[in-house]
Amino acid sequence: MTLDPVHFDGIARLAGRIESGVDASDHRDLAGTVWADFLDPLYHEGTPILEPLGDQRCRLVDVEDAALMESPFPTQHGLDSGTINPTTFKNGLVIDVAQAAMAAVPSDLDLHRGRTIVSTVHSNDGTVDVTEDDWSLFDAGYGRGRILQAPRVDRFEQTVVHALALYLAESTHAKLNADVVEDLLILDGPIYPTGLLKWTDQDPTLAELLVEDERPRDVVQHYVDLVERFVQRDVPLVGFVKSTASKAITRTVRRKSAAPWVNDAALFEQILQRTDDDGETDTDVLTFTNWFVSRAGADCPLSVESDLDLDLTKELGPEAYEVTFFVVYDPREELVYRVEAPYAFTRDEALREELTMQIVSDVAARTGPPLAVEKADELARISRQEKAALQRQLEETFSSDRQREYNDVRWEGAEF
């Protein structure tokens, strides 16, 4: 311990001298103004980047009643992908390994056994060529894997290998098992590879890479193909975003009015939170918004307003691919969840309502993500111990140690 009680007291006194100038009720009032005046639609430079689907409204449902609702979808499937995190080796290689898995409710053990594994490799050595176009099978055919060489870049190597491994594994596994899904597929995360699509705003180098290089564009094409596949089969596809750091809405609002919220989730929490006369949060109800069409931030590249040419092959009308979402707030854990679906599904009012009730009921019953998502997360997650073991195995395979940093020594053996 480096902090004695006197240090804690000193920090607390310093914090007490910080005044925000605006109390919580002022923030709620401002959030109410944003909700009432700015979002129907929300414009940026004359373009509507957020539009309500149907009536704009905040809704609530009793937690116990919601948890006991009959599911509109008899079966649900969840999909997730996890990685070991980008690892740099002294021989110049930067590698990330991702595995994707699908879960079923009710359970399907054969499906749960299946894995898609992608190893993405970056090297600035022009003689290195490790790409394997064919998939190799293992575990009696339940698993399949391949190696992808990442585009050569002078920086952002870890960003590139991570995004390509994660999203190629996820989208490939989804397409491979699409016909297994009978009623509903829930991705653990957004419906499109936002980690790739946000490159357009992240840095000119990454933006150019997304447009010019076929490898990231092929990954985006996989998700377009996935949407088309599910539209053809008349089976809805949604994404359950547990943690969103998006600032696209608040950034636009800030150009029009004071916006004290650090991100969009904080804004929607203020909009959806209900308090009693004493200012205590009402934890007996879940609150949620209507659906919106989003063309903001990373949602823009696949919207009708995008001028970005990714040379994608599309079989549906351009509006079918647009991102739509609604937000649900669980006051028991004070968490905001964003639920996405392509407009191809949510343009149907009845289906939109069924999707809403399915997710709201799941959150109410589990105080967290739907069971299908939770199970997929458990299957795809690579634990800290497994990551360390895999990194050691890679060191032996390459006869090269990882490029260690001071924090590797500082935190070695520590529990955090």
Side-chain angles (χ1 to χ4, degrees):
M1 289 289 292
T2 59
L3 292 177
D4 292 327
V6 65
H7 303 138
F8 276 97
D9 291 342
I11 292 171
R13 283 196 298 271
L14 284 174
R17 289 160 54 188
I18 300 173
E19 297 181 4
S20 67
V22 182
D23 62 26
S25 62
D26 290 334
H27 282 188
R28 280 193 295 274
D29 291 343
L30 182 56
T33 299
V34 170
W35 174 260
D37 298 341
F38 289 2
L39 304 186
D40 186 14
L42 178 65
Y43 285 96
H44 173 59
E45 296 181 351
T47 298
I49 63 169
L50 194 74
E51 292 186 272
L53 271 176
D55 295 332
Q56 181 182 327
R57 54 180 175 150
C58 292
R59 304 171 64 183
L60 63 84
V61 63
D62 181 83
V63 169
E64 293 186 2
D65 290 344
L68 296 174
M69 285 192 297
E70 184 177 353
S71 172
F73 301 94
T75 65
Q76 306 97 47
H77 287 74
L79 182 77
D80 193 19
S81 181
T83 81
I84 67 170
N85 293 332
T87 305
T88 301
F89 293 87
K90 292 181 180 179
N91 63 5
L93 296 179
V94 183
I95 296 176
D96 203 356
V97 180
Q99 73 157 347
M102 182 178 283
V105 178
S107 290
D108 179 339
L109 297 184
D110 279 344
L111 178 68
H112 293 179
R113 181 175 171 182
R115 295 290 191 277
T116 296
I117 296 178
V118 174
S119 179
T120 306
V121 182
H122 176 276
S123 174
N124 280 323
D125 185 343
T127 65
V128 173
D129 185 5
V130 297
T131 293
E132 295 179 352
D133 293 328
D134 295 329
W135 292 85
S136 58
L137 301 181
F138 59 94
D139 188 21
Y142 282 93
R144 47 193 258 137
R146 65 167 290 194
I147 299 172
L148 176 69
Q149 182 155 330
R152 291 189 176 92
V153 290
D154 292 330
R155 52 195 182 117
F156 302 113
E157 299 93 342
Q158 294 194 346
T159 298
V160 171
V161 298
H162 177 72
L164 289 177
L166 182 74
Y167 293 119
L168 181 57
E170 178 182 82
S171 59
T172 300
H173 201 68
K175 292 174 67 176
L176 180 66
N177 294 284
D179 291 342
V180 174
V181 182
E182 297 178 350
D183 299 301
L184 175 66
L185 175 62
I186 311 174
L187 302 182
D188 187 348
I191 58 172
Y192 294 120
T194 55
L196 286 173
L197 296 175
K198 70 181 182 182
W199 287 2
T200 57
D201 293 327
Q202 193 170 350
D203 183 89
T205 300
L206 291 175
E208 181 180 2
L209 186 65
L210 179 61
V211 173
E212 299 295 335
D213 195 283
E214 64 180 8
R215 283 162 285 191
R217 284 191 284 109
D218 284 348
V219 173
V220 179
Q221 181 70 58
H222 278 207
Y223 285 85
V224 170
D225 295 343
L226 189 66
V227 170
E228 293 171 352
R229 181 93 161 267
F230 276 78
V231 169
Q232 291 163 1
R233 298 185 62 240
D234 198 24
V235 175
L237 158 73
V238 302
F240 188 88
V241 184
K242 293 177 286 191
S243 300
T244 175
S246 173
K247 301 181 180 182
I249 297 173
T250 48
R251 189 163 53 234
T252 303
V253 169
R254 193 171 293 117
R255 296 187 180 101
K256 306 171 184 291
S257 177
W261 309 285
V262 66
N263 54 34
D264 298 347
L267 167 62
F268 279 108
E269 180 175 355
Q270 289 290 313
I271 291 171
L272 292 171
Q273 186 181 45
R274 291 170 55 86
T275 57
D276 58 24
D277 293 338
D278 297 325
E280 297 296 321
T281 300
D282 182 359
T283 58
D284 294 329
V285 296
L286 292 184
T287 50
F288 51 102
T289 69
N290 57 281
W291 288 79
F292 291 90
V293 177
S294 175
R295 306 179 186 104
D299 299 335
C300 181
L302 286 166
S303 76
V304 296
E305 299 292 345
S306 176
D307 57 3
L308 184 68
D309 184 10
L310 294 180
D311 194 27
L312 301 175
T313 301
K314 298 179 181 178
E315 297 181 358
L316 305 174
E319 72 283 350
Y321 304 94
E322 290 199 298
V323 176
T324 67
F325 76 92
F326 81 96
V327 173
V328 57
Y329 173 63
D330 187 347
R332 296 166 296 178
E333 297 291 343
E334 297 184 321
L335 292 176
V336 171
Y337 302 113
R338 170 174 157 135
V339 184
E340 300 183 357
Y343 181 65
F345 297 114
T346 55
R347 66 175 130 204
D348 182 288
E349 184 177 356
L351 179 55
R352 197 163 68 228
E353 182 66 9
E354 287 179 344
L355 293 172
T356 302
M357 290 300 103
Q358 176 69 52
I359 298 299
V360 168
S361 178
D362 285 342
V363 171
R366 304 198 59 79
T367 318
L371 179 58
V373 169
E374 191 173 284
K375 291 170 70 172
D377 178 80
E378 291 175 358
L379 292 170
R381 183 188 305 130
I382 304 174
S383 71
R384 182 181 173 189
Q385 293 76 17
E386 291 168 333
K387 291 176 182 178
L390 284 169
Q391 288 169 339
R392 287 193 296 270
Q393 180 61 55
L394 291 172
E395 286 180 322
E396 294 180 11
T397 301
F398 299 140
S399 299
S400 177
D401 293 336
R402 282 188 301 134
Q403 186 70 52
R404 288 164 64 85
E405 299 176 350
Y406 177 68
N407 280 340
D408 294 324
V409 178
R410 182 185 183 191
W411 298 112
E412 195 164 28
E415 294 292 334
F416 63 92

